[in-house]
Amino acid sequence: MWSENNGFDDVWLSEHHFIEDGYLPSILPAAAAIAARTNRIRIASGVLLMPFHNPIRLAEDVATVDVISGGRFELGVGIGFKREEFSGFGVSSKERGARTDQSLDLIRRALSGETVTFKSDFFDFQNIKVTPEPIQKPHPPIWLGGFTPAALRRAVRFGDGFTVPGAYVSELKKENRPTDNLRFASGFWCLIVSDDPAKTFAEAAEHMIYQINNYSEWLSAAGLQPLAPHLRDHEALRQSGLLQVVDPDTAISMIRKFADEVPITHFYSWTLPPGLPPRWVQTHLELFASKVIPAFR
């Protein structure tokens, strides 16, 4: 409850599988646990990997968490890219786009109270009605993101929010969809606020190098652009710009500049580098809450 009592509006949960460091594989149980301990903060999946989920079963879980939270859950969805996940779940990566599109259509329909009948190469559902109904109507918000034309089309067709604002707005206009009350989420890879940036950077560096190199290896193996060339030391990390450790005034300036360039409604960032204990980040979150958040209220 500390976060919602100190100005944070959202908590975003990330999903990956089969990773030795214990990366969260199951967003919905974690979201339910957070919902049971909080009253106001909104809880979002950022992102849930859609190809690995049965859409009707997922709709049931989303509705249940929305009820537990009193209408505070938001479903952020991605198509996945990590090869080991597709092989581990026995899903072809070539099917990920089609599976995601069909799943999003089914989830929107099911969460909106429709009785669903649908048959494809992937799914066969006959007269299914999801209960309980979610509190949010017509359904909890759905976020999508990505940089490809297919991702953009998916967001326009199925999404209520997006993470690449500029192209999204123009595409919505092409499809004659409303462009008022849009929701955009974006931010820096990792922004940490500190009264002693040099000391904090040194404490976090090895942990961030581990995370960034992991992500870059996964992306490269999937034929995608890595986050950065392989990081070998603290200076390479600093040059990458992926870990920003700054004082509160600098953080305010950075976020303001970013928001001027990208019309975001939600700002997010990693807060706890993997492998560091939660107590390590508490001081930095308190500083962000007391010095940075008030500048944007």
Side-chain angles (χ1 to χ4, degrees):
M1 294 183 66
W2 178 89
S3 58
E4 66 180 2
N5 291 332
N6 285 273
F8 290 91
D9 293 325
D10 309 88
V11 56
W12 295 71
L13 305 172
S14 179
E15 170 187 354
H16 275 299
H17 301 269
F18 318 128
I19 301 170
E20 63 182 9
D21 61 19
Y23 201 122
L24 177 66
S26 301
I27 287 178
L28 273 298
I34 294 169
R37 295 290 299 272
T38 56
N39 299 303
R40 181 191 61 79
I41 198 166
R42 296 193 66 80
I43 307 157
S45 57
V47 295
L48 179 140
L49 304 177
M50 192 68 254
F52 311 133
H53 296 266
N54 178 294
I56 296 299
R57 186 70 182 91
L58 179 61
E60 291 180 328
D61 286 346
V62 167
T64 300
V65 172
D66 200 52
V67 170
I68 292 171
S69 68
R72 292 182 285 130
F73 185 72
E74 310 202 3
L75 178 64
V77 169
I79 66 172
F81 61 86
K82 189 168 178 282
R83 292 194 307 178
E84 293 84 354
E85 293 174 331
F86 286 94
S87 61
F89 285 111
V91 174
S92 169
S93 62
K94 295 179 181 179
E95 300 173 355
R96 59 184 185 162
R99 281 182 176 271
T100 298
D101 288 350
Q102 292 179 22
S103 294
L104 285 168
D105 180 50
L106 289 164
I107 287 168
R108 287 181 68 97
R109 291 166 59 191
L111 289 175
S112 298
E114 182 178 334
T115 298
V116 174
T117 294
F118 182 86
K119 184 176 178 62
S120 73
D121 290 341
F122 311 127
F123 308 116
D124 186 358
F125 302 118
Q126 301 296 321
N127 298 317
I128 300 297
K129 185 173 178 61
V130 165
T131 58
E133 293 185 1
I135 289 178
Q136 297 178 89
K137 303 299 181 184
H139 53 74
I142 297 174
W143 290 84
L144 292 108
F147 297 92
T148 66
L152 184 57
R153 291 192 297 270
R154 184 174 298 115
V156 169
R157 183 177 177 189
F158 301 113
D160 304 300
F162 196 52
T163 59
V164 187
Y168 185 47
V169 175
S170 61
E171 195 68 20
L172 284 171
K173 290 178 178 177
K174 288 181 185 177
E175 298 297 323
N176 295 316
R177 289 196 57 188
T179 57
D180 54 338
N181 299 317
L182 296 180
R183 301 153 64 83
F184 298 127
S186 193
F188 304 109
W189 181 261
C190 186
L191 176 67
I192 298 174
V193 178
S194 173
D195 284 328
D196 189 346
K199 177 176 180 291
T200 301
F201 186 96
E203 292 170 347
E206 290 301 322
H207 301 269
M208 290 306 303
I209 288 171
Y210 163 82
Q211 182 198 47
I212 293 164
N213 282 343
N214 264 1
Y215 266 89
S216 291
E217 288 170 10
W218 303 338
L219 288 163
S220 295
L224 301 171
Q225 180 70 34
L227 291 176
H230 185 78
L231 302 178
R232 299 187 180 279
D233 53 35
H234 291 199
E235 183 56 31
L237 174 63
R238 194 183 310 279
Q239 292 297 322
S240 77
L242 292 169
L243 173 61
Q244 298 280 347
V245 184
V246 298
D247 61 78
D249 288 340
T250 301
I252 292 169
S253 297
M254 290 173 62
I255 295 171
R256 279 185 175 152
K257 183 176 185 297
F258 183 76
D260 286 342
E261 297 170 352
V262 182
I264 56 173
T265 57
H266 296 62
F267 172 83
Y268 61 76
S269 170
W270 291 105
T271 55
L272 178 62
L276 285 169
R279 64 179 180 275
W280 179 88
V281 79
Q282 188 63 32
T283 298
H284 307 298
L285 289 178
E286 290 172 357
L287 195 59
F288 191 95
S290 64
K291 299 295 186 181
V292 179
I293 289 177
F296 298 93
R297 296 301 192 206

